[in-house]
Amino acid sequence: MTNISSIAVVGLGYIGLPTAAIFAESGLRVHGVDVSQKTVDAVNHGTVPFVEPELGDYVERAVAAGRLTASVETPAADAYIVAVPTPFRQDKSPDLSYIEAAGRTLAAQLRGSELIILESTSPPGATERLAEVVYGVRPDLMDEDGGSLDFAHCPERVLPGKVMAELVTNDRIVGGSSRGAAERARDLYLLFCRGDILLTNTRTAEMAKLVENAFRDVNIAFANELSMICAGLDIDVWELIDLANHHPRVNILQPGPGVGGHCIAVDPWFIVDAAPEAARLIRSAREINDAKPGWVIQQVKAAAYDVLQSSGEPPVIAALGLAFKPNIDDLRESPALDITRQLGEQFPDSRILAVEPHVDTLPAGLTSLPNLEKAAAREAIEAADIVVLLVDHAPFAELKELAAGKHVVDTRGQWRQTPGI
Ligand code: SAJ
């Protein structure tokens, strides 16, 4: 049983807001803190400033019940959960400035003996750094036993699109600055978490989160490398993977146009930064996945050359999908978006028809290109000489026939012909 009755959640983004809402649902008094007044206003009105299934209902209920409030100021609370961004810098080293800023701000509110949990994805040592910042502001809370505060790292592992379900069902890793701190954090998460809660130290917990995403990145890089090998050998990579996966101990992931989202394409760099000499496979995987969009552009160039040779006209190119994965509207770090922008830039004489059924307007990076326009899927395919399938959104599956006789660059294998015999 936890003796914590009020928490402050610092950072009301994709992780902080769902976490705040689910703690409120489980009976705590929750105060959300965000630097954006717009986000604070949205939450206080019981609304959600981004798309995540079911989250809206949770926030609306929590605000109506008076258990969830928000402000730009950090209040006093029994426990703090820090869920702010940890981007990387130009040189791919982690930028801890948001965590440090959160630590300095909350330090001013402390009375002693609070529990401070870092949820942001972090490089090894970040929770120790947070403690250093907090005690730097509040040396009065330091004692001969190492300080009166408890620190813990509890990384989130929820999949965007399934956040509210996975918050409850996923196992959680809790790393504590001491066993007592870890147990205190575990008792708090037990309020809503039905998975196993596994205790360790803060560094191992930090690394576990990074390793999970690096594991996936390395395995996607393997699939992407296979796709490039197979293209040169006239082998259908998707058929090949289907066949190899019939082996009881083989489970190859799927190739694509590159790796998107703000987790898998970022977190492995924190490991590389922490151990640059040793992290050779992890670095290579990142480089392979980052190079995949350029390879797709080369495929389109080869097709464009054929069109130009046979018709004398620059090709019309349809780019199907902009999101970073199928059936969502999230364009963050999307390789499909990057490829579509590059098509606009590198084929200035071509008409580029960008298709994304999940968004109403194209993002700024695309609207500035004079030869690029938004189009519906059918019209784009019918008008195109080259169809580049970038995201396997479900409705695209049935449009394959429309592309018959055209050049197709299918990065997802949604339109593949198998078996190859
Ligand atoms: N992708 C492929 N081939 C595959 C699988 C994925 O190319 O076989 C691509 C997707 O198209 C996408 C990218 O990888 O561009 C990432 O998609 P994802 O669905 O694998 O993962 P995310 O980024 O949505 O969420 C991940 C999850 N981590 C793991 O599965 C290890 C999630 O559990 C984490 O909570 C999340 O990162 C996070 O916040 O760290």
Side-chain angles (χ1 to χ4, degrees), residues 256-286:
V259 170
H262 62 142
C263 307
I264 294 186
V266 175
D267 300 357
W269 287 120
F270 293 179
I271 302 177
V272 175
D273 183 73
E277 298 293 320
R280 289 159 52 204
L281 177 64
I282 294 171
R283 180 201 297 271
S284 293
R286 266 298 60 247

Short mmCIF file of all heavy atoms in Angstrom, two decimals, residues 256-286:
data_model
loop_
_atom_site.label_atom_id
_atom_site.label_comp_id
_atom_site.label_asym_id
_atom_site.label_seq_id
_atom_site.Cartn_x
_atom_site.Cartn_y
_atom_site.Cartn_z
N GLY A 256 11.20 -1.96 -44.45
CA GLY A 256 10.33 -0.82 -44.72
C GLY A 256 11.15 0.30 -45.33
O GLY A 256 12.29 0.08 -45.75
N PRO A 257 10.61 1.53 -45.34
CA PRO A 257 11.34 2.65 -45.95
C PRO A 257 12.37 3.25 -45.01
O PRO A 257 13.05 4.20 -45.35
CB PRO A 257 10.22 3.65 -46.23
CG PRO A 257 9.20 3.38 -45.16
CD PRO A 257 9.26 1.89 -44.91
N GLY A 258 12.50 2.69 -43.79
CA GLY A 258 13.38 3.26 -42.76
C GLY A 258 12.64 3.15 -41.44
O GLY A 258 11.54 2.61 -41.40
N VAL A 259 13.25 3.61 -40.37
CA VAL A 259 12.61 3.52 -39.04
C VAL A 259 12.19 4.90 -38.58
O VAL A 259 12.99 5.83 -38.58
CB VAL A 259 13.57 2.86 -38.03
CG1 VAL A 259 13.01 2.97 -36.62
CG2 VAL A 259 13.78 1.40 -38.38
N GLY A 260 10.92 5.02 -38.19
CA GLY A 260 10.40 6.32 -37.74
C GLY A 260 9.96 6.31 -36.30
O GLY A 260 10.25 5.37 -35.55
N GLY A 261 9.22 7.36 -35.93
CA GLY A 261 8.81 7.54 -34.54
C GLY A 261 9.95 8.18 -33.78
O GLY A 261 11.05 8.33 -34.31
N HIS A 262 9.70 8.55 -32.55
CA HIS A 262 10.74 9.30 -31.82
C HIS A 262 11.43 8.45 -30.76
O HIS A 262 12.08 8.96 -29.87
CB HIS A 262 10.14 10.57 -31.21
CG HIS A 262 9.07 10.27 -30.22
ND1 HIS A 262 8.89 10.96 -29.07
CD2 HIS A 262 8.13 9.30 -30.22
CE1 HIS A 262 7.87 10.44 -28.41
NE2 HIS A 262 7.40 9.44 -29.09
N CYS A 263 11.31 7.11 -30.86
CA CYS A 263 11.91 6.24 -29.84
C CYS A 263 12.98 5.35 -30.44
O CYS A 263 14.15 5.46 -30.10
CB CYS A 263 10.83 5.37 -29.22
SG CYS A 263 9.44 6.32 -28.61
N ILE A 264 12.56 4.47 -31.36
CA ILE A 264 13.49 3.46 -31.86
C ILE A 264 14.63 4.09 -32.66
O ILE A 264 15.75 3.61 -32.65
CB ILE A 264 12.72 2.40 -32.67
CG1 ILE A 264 11.80 1.65 -31.70
CG2 ILE A 264 13.67 1.43 -33.37
CD1 ILE A 264 11.05 0.49 -32.28
N ALA A 265 14.34 5.20 -33.35
CA ALA A 265 15.38 5.85 -34.15
C ALA A 265 16.28 6.76 -33.30
O ALA A 265 17.25 7.30 -33.80
CB ALA A 265 14.73 6.64 -35.28
N VAL A 266 15.95 6.92 -32.03
CA VAL A 266 16.69 7.84 -31.16
C VAL A 266 17.45 7.08 -30.06
O VAL A 266 18.66 7.26 -29.88
CB VAL A 266 15.73 8.86 -30.50
CG1 VAL A 266 16.47 9.74 -29.49
CG2 VAL A 266 15.05 9.72 -31.55
N ASP A 267 16.74 6.22 -29.34
CA ASP A 267 17.29 5.60 -28.13
C ASP A 267 18.61 4.85 -28.34
O ASP A 267 19.51 4.94 -27.49
CB ASP A 267 16.26 4.65 -27.48
CG ASP A 267 15.00 5.38 -27.08
OD1 ASP A 267 14.95 6.61 -27.24
OD2 ASP A 267 14.07 4.71 -26.60
N PRO A 268 18.78 4.11 -29.48
CA PRO A 268 20.07 3.40 -29.63
C PRO A 268 21.27 4.34 -29.63
O PRO A 268 22.36 3.94 -29.20
CB PRO A 268 19.91 2.68 -30.98
CG PRO A 268 18.44 2.53 -31.17
CD PRO A 268 17.84 3.76 -30.56
N TRP A 269 21.08 5.58 -30.07
CA TRP A 269 22.20 6.54 -30.06
C TRP A 269 22.68 6.82 -28.64
O TRP A 269 23.85 7.14 -28.43
CB TRP A 269 21.82 7.86 -30.74
CG TRP A 269 21.72 7.76 -32.23
CD1 TRP A 269 20.61 8.01 -33.00
CD2 TRP A 269 22.76 7.41 -33.17
NE1 TRP A 269 20.90 7.83 -34.33
CE2 TRP A 269 22.21 7.46 -34.46
CE3 TRP A 269 24.11 7.05 -33.02
CZ2 TRP A 269 22.95 7.17 -35.61
CZ3 TRP A 269 24.84 6.76 -34.16
CH2 TRP A 269 24.28 6.82 -35.42
N PHE A 270 21.78 6.70 -27.64
CA PHE A 270 22.20 6.94 -26.25
C PHE A 270 23.17 5.85 -25.80
O PHE A 270 24.08 6.10 -25.01
CB PHE A 270 20.99 6.95 -25.30
CG PHE A 270 20.03 8.10 -25.49
CD1 PHE A 270 18.90 8.20 -24.70
CD2 PHE A 270 20.26 9.09 -26.42
CE1 PHE A 270 18.00 9.25 -24.85
CE2 PHE A 270 19.38 10.15 -26.59
CZ PHE A 270 18.24 10.22 -25.80
N ILE A 271 22.97 4.64 -26.33
CA ILE A 271 23.90 3.55 -25.99
C ILE A 271 25.23 3.79 -26.70
O ILE A 271 26.30 3.64 -26.10
CB ILE A 271 23.32 2.17 -26.41
CG1 ILE A 271 21.97 1.93 -25.72
CG2 ILE A 271 24.30 1.05 -26.07
CD1 ILE A 271 21.29 0.63 -26.14
N VAL A 272 25.16 4.20 -27.96
CA VAL A 272 26.38 4.47 -28.72
C VAL A 272 27.17 5.59 -28.04
O VAL A 272 28.40 5.51 -27.90
CB VAL A 272 26.05 4.85 -30.19
CG1 VAL A 272 27.30 5.26 -30.95
CG2 VAL A 272 25.35 3.69 -30.90
N ASP A 273 26.46 6.61 -27.58
CA ASP A 273 27.13 7.73 -26.91
C ASP A 273 27.78 7.28 -25.60
O ASP A 273 28.87 7.73 -25.25
CB ASP A 273 26.11 8.84 -26.64
CG ASP A 273 26.77 10.06 -26.01
OD1 ASP A 273 27.49 10.76 -26.74
OD2 ASP A 273 26.60 10.27 -24.79
N ALA A 274 27.11 6.35 -24.89
CA ALA A 274 27.64 5.90 -23.59
C ALA A 274 28.83 4.95 -23.75
O ALA A 274 29.68 4.86 -22.87
CB ALA A 274 26.53 5.20 -22.80
N ALA A 275 28.89 4.22 -24.88
CA ALA A 275 29.98 3.24 -25.09
C ALA A 275 30.37 3.22 -26.57
O ALA A 275 30.13 2.24 -27.28
CB ALA A 275 29.50 1.85 -24.64
N PRO A 276 30.97 4.31 -27.07
CA PRO A 276 31.20 4.45 -28.51
C PRO A 276 32.08 3.35 -29.12
O PRO A 276 31.86 2.94 -30.25
CB PRO A 276 31.87 5.82 -28.65
CG PRO A 276 32.08 6.35 -27.28
CD PRO A 276 31.41 5.45 -26.30
N GLU A 277 33.03 2.85 -28.36
CA GLU A 277 33.93 1.82 -28.91
C GLU A 277 33.23 0.47 -28.99
O GLU A 277 33.39 -0.27 -29.96
CB GLU A 277 35.17 1.66 -28.00
CG GLU A 277 36.03 2.91 -27.88
CD GLU A 277 36.71 3.25 -29.20
OE1 GLU A 277 37.16 2.31 -29.88
OE2 GLU A 277 36.78 4.44 -29.54
N ALA A 278 32.47 0.16 -27.95
CA ALA A 278 31.89 -1.20 -27.85
C ALA A 278 30.61 -1.36 -28.65
O ALA A 278 30.29 -2.47 -29.10
CB ALA A 278 31.64 -1.53 -26.38
N ALA A 279 29.85 -0.27 -28.85
CA ALA A 279 28.51 -0.40 -29.45
C ALA A 279 28.57 -0.40 -30.97
O ALA A 279 27.98 0.46 -31.63
CB ALA A 279 27.62 0.73 -28.93
N ARG A 280 29.22 -1.41 -31.55
CA ARG A 280 29.44 -1.39 -33.00
C ARG A 280 28.23 -1.87 -33.79
O ARG A 280 27.85 -1.28 -34.79
CB ARG A 280 30.66 -2.26 -33.34
CG ARG A 280 31.95 -1.59 -32.88
CD ARG A 280 33.09 -2.55 -32.72
NE ARG A 280 33.28 -3.36 -33.91
CZ ARG A 280 33.86 -4.55 -33.92
NH1 ARG A 280 34.30 -5.07 -32.81
NH2 ARG A 280 33.99 -5.24 -35.04
N LEU A 281 27.60 -2.94 -33.32
CA LEU A 281 26.43 -3.46 -34.02
C LEU A 281 25.27 -2.47 -33.93
O LEU A 281 24.54 -2.23 -34.90
CB LEU A 281 26.03 -4.81 -33.40
CG LEU A 281 24.78 -5.47 -33.94
CD1 LEU A 281 24.95 -5.84 -35.41
CD2 LEU A 281 24.46 -6.72 -33.13
N ILE A 282 25.10 -1.89 -32.75
CA ILE A 282 23.99 -0.95 -32.51
C ILE A 282 24.16 0.29 -33.39
O ILE A 282 23.21 0.79 -33.99
CB ILE A 282 23.92 -0.61 -31.00
CG1 ILE A 282 23.55 -1.88 -30.22
CG2 ILE A 282 22.96 0.53 -30.72
CD1 ILE A 282 23.65 -1.77 -28.72
N ARG A 283 25.41 0.76 -33.52
CA ARG A 283 25.66 1.92 -34.38
C ARG A 283 25.40 1.55 -35.86
O ARG A 283 24.73 2.30 -36.58
CB ARG A 283 27.12 2.37 -34.24
CG ARG A 283 27.44 3.58 -35.10
CD ARG A 283 28.94 3.69 -35.33
NE ARG A 283 29.67 3.89 -34.10
CZ ARG A 283 29.93 5.08 -33.56
NH1 ARG A 283 29.52 6.16 -34.19
NH2 ARG A 283 30.60 5.18 -32.44
N SER A 284 25.88 0.38 -36.28
CA SER A 284 25.67 -0.03 -37.69
C SER A 284 24.18 -0.12 -38.01
O SER A 284 23.74 0.28 -39.09
CB SER A 284 26.28 -1.40 -37.96
OG SER A 284 27.65 -1.34 -37.88
N ALA A 285 23.42 -0.69 -37.06
CA ALA A 285 21.98 -0.83 -37.30
C ALA A 285 21.33 0.53 -37.53
O ALA A 285 20.53 0.72 -38.45
CB ALA A 285 21.33 -1.52 -36.10
N ARG A 286 21.71 1.49 -36.71
CA ARG A 286 21.19 2.86 -36.87
C ARG A 286 21.55 3.41 -38.24
O ARG A 286 20.75 4.02 -38.94
CB ARG A 286 21.78 3.77 -35.81
CG ARG A 286 21.12 4.04 -34.52
CD ARG A 286 19.77 4.71 -34.44
NE ARG A 286 18.66 4.06 -35.07
CZ ARG A 286 18.01 4.53 -36.13
NH1 ARG A 286 18.33 5.67 -36.67
NH2 ARG A 286 17.01 3.87 -36.65
#
